[in-house]
Amino acid sequence: MKRAFVLGALIVAGSLSMVAVALQAPGGQRGGPNVAGIEKVKDNLYMITGGGGNTAAFITDRGVVVVDTKLAGWGQAILDKIKTVTDKPVTTIINTHSHPDHVGSNEAFPATVDFIAQEVTKANMEKQDAFKGDKARFLTKRTSKDKMTLGTGKDQVELYYFGRGHTGGDAWVLFTQARVLHAGDIFAGKTAPLIDVMSGGSAVEYGKSLQKAFDTVKNIDTIITGHSPLMKPADLKEYADFNNDFITWVQEQMRAGKTVDQAAAEWKVPAKYPGYGPPAPIFGGIKTNIQAAYTELRR
Ligand SMILES: [Zn+2]
C-alpha cells in the first residue's frame, strides 16, 4: 500500500525514470500474479485493496460499478476478487482522479464499459501516454462536473466535486443507500496531503473542499479512503481541520516574514493531530506543501 502511494507521488513529480526504477524495486510482485485483498463494506459493496489506490466494487442489478482501477497490471486481480462475490459483469468504471495508481488498469476492462470521471480528470488523463493512440478507448466517456447521479434506489451512485485539493478534478463517489462515500486521494489517509499542482491541485483550497464534502454529504457512516483503512465522517472533519489549520499556520509564517525554508524547518505536526506526518521525503516533504501555499497566497 505504502509503496504504491509513493509510486503515485513519483509520477506526480513527473519523474518517469524513477517510476520505472521503483516498479522493479524489491518488494514488488515477482514471478507470480498480483493478488488483491477484498473487504465487505456493506451489502453489495466491497473494498478491494492492494496494487495502488483502494478500489470499490458495488453490485447493482445491471452490473458492477468499479471505482478506481489501481496500478497497471492489477485488472485481473480486481476481476478475481469481484468473482468471489458476484457473477455479474463490470458495467461502469469511475476514476476518482487521474493518477496512475487509480486509472492504471482501466485497459483490463472491456472498452464497452461506461468510463466516467470528473471533466478535469478526463483532461488530465488525456495528457498521459497510457491513454494515447488505441488506448484512448479506455478514457472517460462521460464526464461529471459538480454532480452526477447514476441509477436509482438501492443502486444509486452519485459523483460530487467539492473543489480543488489533491488534483483539480477530485471526484467523491457516494453510494447513497449504503451510506458510504469513496473519497479517493483527496482523503488518502491521515497525513499531510500530496498536492499535485500540475494537475490542478491546491494547498489553499484543500481543506475547504474537504469541509464542503463534510457539510454536504450528511447521510453516511463510512468513508473509503484513497490508501488507508475505512474511516468515519468524524475522521473527514478532522482531516478538513488539519488542512485548514495548516493554511492558517502558513499565513502566520508569511506575516512573520519567514521564507519557505525557514517555515519548513520549523513545521511540526500540531499536537491535536497525533499520528499525522509530512508527505514522503521523495516528494519534498512538508516544504512542497508550504511552497504551494506560499505561491497561491502570494497571487
Ligand atoms: Zn493520487
Side-chain angles (χ1 to χ4, degrees), residues 159-182:
L159 277 76
Y160 285 93
Y161 174 71
F162 294 123
R164 298 157 65 205
H166 180 65
T167 72
D170 302 322
W172 299 71
V173 183
L174 174 63
F175 304 98
T176 317
Q177 286 202 4
R179 298 166 58 88
V180 177
L181 182 64
H182 192 317

Side-chain angles (χ1 to χ4, degrees), residues 97 99 101-102 166 185:
H97 66 292
H99 287 157
D101 52 335
H102 297 259
H166 180 65
D185 276 2

Side-chain angles (χ1 to χ4, degrees), residues 164-165 192-193 195 201-210 239-255 263 267-268 270 273 286-298:
R164 298 157 65 205
I195 303 162
S202 166
V204 173
E205 298 301 316
Y206 209 114
K208 295 180 197 171
S209 301
L210 293 166
Y239 197 53
D241 291 347
F242 172 83
N243 283 283
N244 283 324
D245 286 356
F246 176 72
I247 294 304
T248 302
W249 176 84
V250 169
Q251 287 167 326
E252 288 164 7
Q253 307 314 301
M254 289 178 80
R255 269 198 295 274
W267 182 80
K268 284 193 205 73
Y273 302 110
I286 201 68
K287 186 181 161 183
T288 303
N289 294 21
I290 295 170
Q291 180 66 67
Y294 265 59
T295 302
E296 288 179 54
L297 290 166
R298 276 182 180 143

Side-chain angles (χ1 to χ4, degrees), residues 184-220:
D185 276 2
I186 194 166
F187 189 14
K190 289 192 177 187
T191 192
L194 298 179
I195 303 162
D196 182 358
V197 172
M198 298 294 287
S199 297
S202 166
V204 173
E205 298 301 316
Y206 209 114
K208 295 180 197 171
S209 301
L210 293 166
Q211 182 67 44
K212 193 172 177 192
F214 179 78
D215 289 340
T216 307
V217 184
K218 283 292 177 197
N219 296 314
I220 56 166

Side-chain angles (χ1 to χ4, degrees), residues 117 122 129 221:
K122 183 187 183 184
D129 287 344
D221 53 42

Side-chain angles (χ1 to χ4, degrees), residues 50-288:
N54 288 326
T55 296
F58 183 51
I59 304 164
T60 73
D61 286 344
R62 279 190 58 234
V64 182
V65 177
V66 168
V67 181
D68 285 351
T69 61
K70 306 190 181 296
L71 290 162
W74 283 79
Q76 192 57 49
I78 294 170
L79 287 165
D80 288 347
K81 285 302 168 194
I82 291 173
K83 230 175 282 172
T84 65
V85 292
T86 183
D87 293 329
K88 289 184 176 166
V90 173
T91 48
T92 305
I93 289 179
I94 298 167
N95 295 120
T96 58
H97 66 292
S98 52
H99 287 157
D101 52 335
H102 297 259
V103 304
S105 289
N106 277 20
E107 64 179 26
F109 296 87
T112 52
V113 163
D114 194 11
F115 290 99
I116 299 172
Q118 206 272 351
E119 60 185 17
V120 174
T121 285
K122 183 187 183 184
N124 287 333
M125 287 164 74
E126 281 170 338
K127 293 178 202 150
Q128 298 175 21
D129 287 344
F131 292 101
K132 290 199 172 137
D134 65 343
K135 297 276 183 73
R137 65 190 194 276
F138 304 110
L139 267 174
T140 310
K141 290 176 186 156
R142 286 202 289 157
T143 55
S144 64
K145 196 176 167 112
D146 294 329
K147 191 183 175 188
M148 178 189 240
T149 303
L150 309 169
T152 56
K154 68 174 175 44
D155 290 348
Q156 184 170 292
V157 177
E158 293 169 276
L159 277 76
Y160 285 93
Y161 174 71
F162 294 123
R164 298 157 65 205
H166 180 65
T167 72
D170 302 322
W172 299 71
V173 183
L174 174 63
F175 304 98
T176 317
Q177 286 202 4
R179 298 166 58 88
V180 177
L181 182 64
H182 192 317
D185 276 2
I186 194 166
F187 189 14
K190 289 192 177 187
T191 192
L194 298 179
I195 303 162
D196 182 358
V197 172
M198 298 294 287
S199 297
S202 166
V204 173
E205 298 301 316
Y206 209 114
K208 295 180 197 171
S209 301
L210 293 166
Q211 182 67 44
K212 193 172 177 192
F214 179 78
D215 289 340
T216 307
V217 184
K218 283 292 177 197
N219 296 314
I220 56 166
D221 53 42
T222 305
I223 295 170
I224 299 174
T225 60
H227 290 266
S228 298
L230 296 175
M231 295 206 189
K232 301 277 180 206
D235 298 308
L236 173 59
K237 173 61 179 152
E238 181 188 281
Y239 197 53
D241 291 347
F242 172 83
N243 283 283
N244 283 324
D245 286 356
F246 176 72
I247 294 304
T248 302
W249 176 84
V250 169
Q251 287 167 326
E252 288 164 7
Q253 307 314 301
M254 289 178 80
R255 269 198 295 274
K258 290 189 191 143
T259 65
V260 170
D261 282 314
Q262 286 169 333
E266 289 173 23
W267 182 80
K268 284 193 205 73
V269 177
K272 66 189 276 206
Y273 302 110
Y276 282 67
I282 197 156
F283 199 57
I286 201 68
K287 186 181 161 183
T288 303

